[in-house]
């Protein structure tokens, strides 16, 4: 593709992008495609001869778009968001145009140094301790894996990397029953093993019961286990429960355990002074992750990982083949040593664009509004006699169910599952579920970049009308 043709298509594409943003609400939020539908429309063999970009775009509209779930629709209330914003999209365009592979400082000094500075901005915006250093990871799952691997090495005198995990089948990791599944995945990958993941019971508000953590850790110590890492969650996936950091931190400090904090979603709320309470006990944290790609309007993927002691992280991951030896080594940050992948995208550019375009105050306004919408939704739910809230509403997640009188718990569960499917099949809104104390729970997240109070109110009317029109089959 010659530059002139590229220019023509790029202009057309920007038009397509702007129109998509303007019209995103016209699509069914959750793709209505059935399994295999898209697959059957794509030729089995790659084309031998070149095709025009116009034909690619035609197929994008006809084949691909029906199979897209519209995460950027303000009626997307499912999972946690993967928000984008215009400044972030523009930066993504620049990132792919530059196509820089930013594995070490020398492969693009600006990428390494912008990343260093962005991590300082984010650290200070979220109120993390000033001695923390940060690195961008692809996802929170990778960051938590990095934390658990670092903890494994620290607790075994940095020997498992060399000798293998065999003689250390007594390492233990702790998290609450509500912690994200990425913890279990990391424990498996690290060789610690999922049977050495101890899941601590939660209290009524779904936060970790620190007294039970203390009991588990001291019991394990007595029996000869090595407590290596505790993962505290700020903002659990199910209900955004906040684990008591100070109480957990005191236990970690007493027993010399690495404390990793998973704040994948809730970390963004730390830019609000009124949510700084979540970080009470920050002095005990060893590592911390949050995802600007969730709630800070930065295109997926962009996960901010902070550590108190970068030397331990680097010692865990460092490897030095001949072709990566440079004259600047030790004087600059070579981020390939700060995590699993060697190759790295220039992600700092989108953070730079987003933070500068919104300003910290602009980000605060948006996040605060999302939290306000959730609390208003909670009021509306509480006002209805046949609905009930199932968890405290702390941030932008509202957990509830339809509970008409005269039904058993099993029937109520079935009814809510059916309600969830009907709502999603309508294409008007998209929400997902969790199970809390055996109760099938509808979960509405009011944190999509462009969600407004009006969107939440319309969604709520649809939920009430659909629920009340249902009879149990
Ligand atoms: C609390 C928590 N931690 C970790 C993750 C995993 O995030 P990622 O997709 O960035 O790996 C999620 C995903 O929603 C989450 O809710």
């Amino acid at each position: 593709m010659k530059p002139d043709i590229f220019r023509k298509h790029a202009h057309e594409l920007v038009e397509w992008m702007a129109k998509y943003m303007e019209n995103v609400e016209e699509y069914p939020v959750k793709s209505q495609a059935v399994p295999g539908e898209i697959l059957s429309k794509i030729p089995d063999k790659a084309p031998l001869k070149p095709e025009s970009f116009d034909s690619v775009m035609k197929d994008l509209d006809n084949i691909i778009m029906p199979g897209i779930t519209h995460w950027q629709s303000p009626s997307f209330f499912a999972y946690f968001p993967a928000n984008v914003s215009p400044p972030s999209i523009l930066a993504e365009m620049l990132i792919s145009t530059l196509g820089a592979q930013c594995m070490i400082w020398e492969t693009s000094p600006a990428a390494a140094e912008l990343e260093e500075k962005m991590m300082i901005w984010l650290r200070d915006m979220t109120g993390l301790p000033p001695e923390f250093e940060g690195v961008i990871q692809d996802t929170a799952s990778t960051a938590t894996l990095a934390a658990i691997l670092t903890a494994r090495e620290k607790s075994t005198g940095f020997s498992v990397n060399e000798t293998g995990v065999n003689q250390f089948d007594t390492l233990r990791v702790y998290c609450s029953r509500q912690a994200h599944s990425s913890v279990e995945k990391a424990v498996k990958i690290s060789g610690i093993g999922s049977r050495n993941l101890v899941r601590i019971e939660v209290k009524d508000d779904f936060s970790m019961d620190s007294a039970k953590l203390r009991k588990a850790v001291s019991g394990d110590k007595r029996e000869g286990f090595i407590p290596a890492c505790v993962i505290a969650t700020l903002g659990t996936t199910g209900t955004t429960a906040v684990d008591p950091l100070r109480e957990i931190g005191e236990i970690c400090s007493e027993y010399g355990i690495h404390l990793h904090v998973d704040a994948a979603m809730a970390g963004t709320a730390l830019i609000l002074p009124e949510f700084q309470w979540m970080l009470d006990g920050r002095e005990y944290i060893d590592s911390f992750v949050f995802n600007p790609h969730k709630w800070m309007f930065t295109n997926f993927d962009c996960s901010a990982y902070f550590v108190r002691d970068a030397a331990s992280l680097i010692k865990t991951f460092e490897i030095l083949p001949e072709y990566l030896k440079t004259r600047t080594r030790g004087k600059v940050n070579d981020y390939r040593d700060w995590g699993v992948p060697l190759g790295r995208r220039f992600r700092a550019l989108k953070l730079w664009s987003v933070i500068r375009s919104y300003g910290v105050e602009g980000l605060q306004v948006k996040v605060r509004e999302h939290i306000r919408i959730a609390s208003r939704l909670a009021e509306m739910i509480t006002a209805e006699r046949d609905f009930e809230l199932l968890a405290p509403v702390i941030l932008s997640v509202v957990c509830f169910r339809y509970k008409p009188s005269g039904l058993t718990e099993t029937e109520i569960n079935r009814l809510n599952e059916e309600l969830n499917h009907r709502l999603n099949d309508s294409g008007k809104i998209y929400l997902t579920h969790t199970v809390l104390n055996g109760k099938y729970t509808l979960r509405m997240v009011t944190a999509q970049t462009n969600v407004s109070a009006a969107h939440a109110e319309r969604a709520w009317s649809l939920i009430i009308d659909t629920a009340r029109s249902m009879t149990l089959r």
Side-chain angles (χ1 to χ4, degrees), residues 110-124:
E113 295 189 8
L114 187 63
E115 181 160 341
E116 187 174 341
K117 197 50 74 80
M118 288 306 97
M119 292 298 98
I120 291 171
W121 284 13
L122 285 181
R123 178 195 69 198
D124 295 348

Side-chain angles (χ1 to χ4, degrees), residues 79-80 138-142 144 178-182 233-238 262-265 289 291 293-294 300 303 443:
Y79 305 103
F80 277 148
D138 52 5
T139 61
S141 302
T142 310
T144 294
Q178 291 287 322
H180 189 261
S181 54
S182 53
T233 312
L234 303 187
T236 57
T237 314
D262 175 359
M265 174 74 181
V289 63
N291 285 350
H293 72 225
K294 279 187 161 51
F300 190 86
S303 195
R443 185 180 160 282

Side-chain angles (χ1 to χ4, degrees), residues 206-218:
F206 304 104
S207 69
M208 188 193 285
D209 185 337
S210 62
K212 297 238 164 74
L213 173 69
R214 177 178 287 284
K215 209 164 155 225
V217 168
S218 60

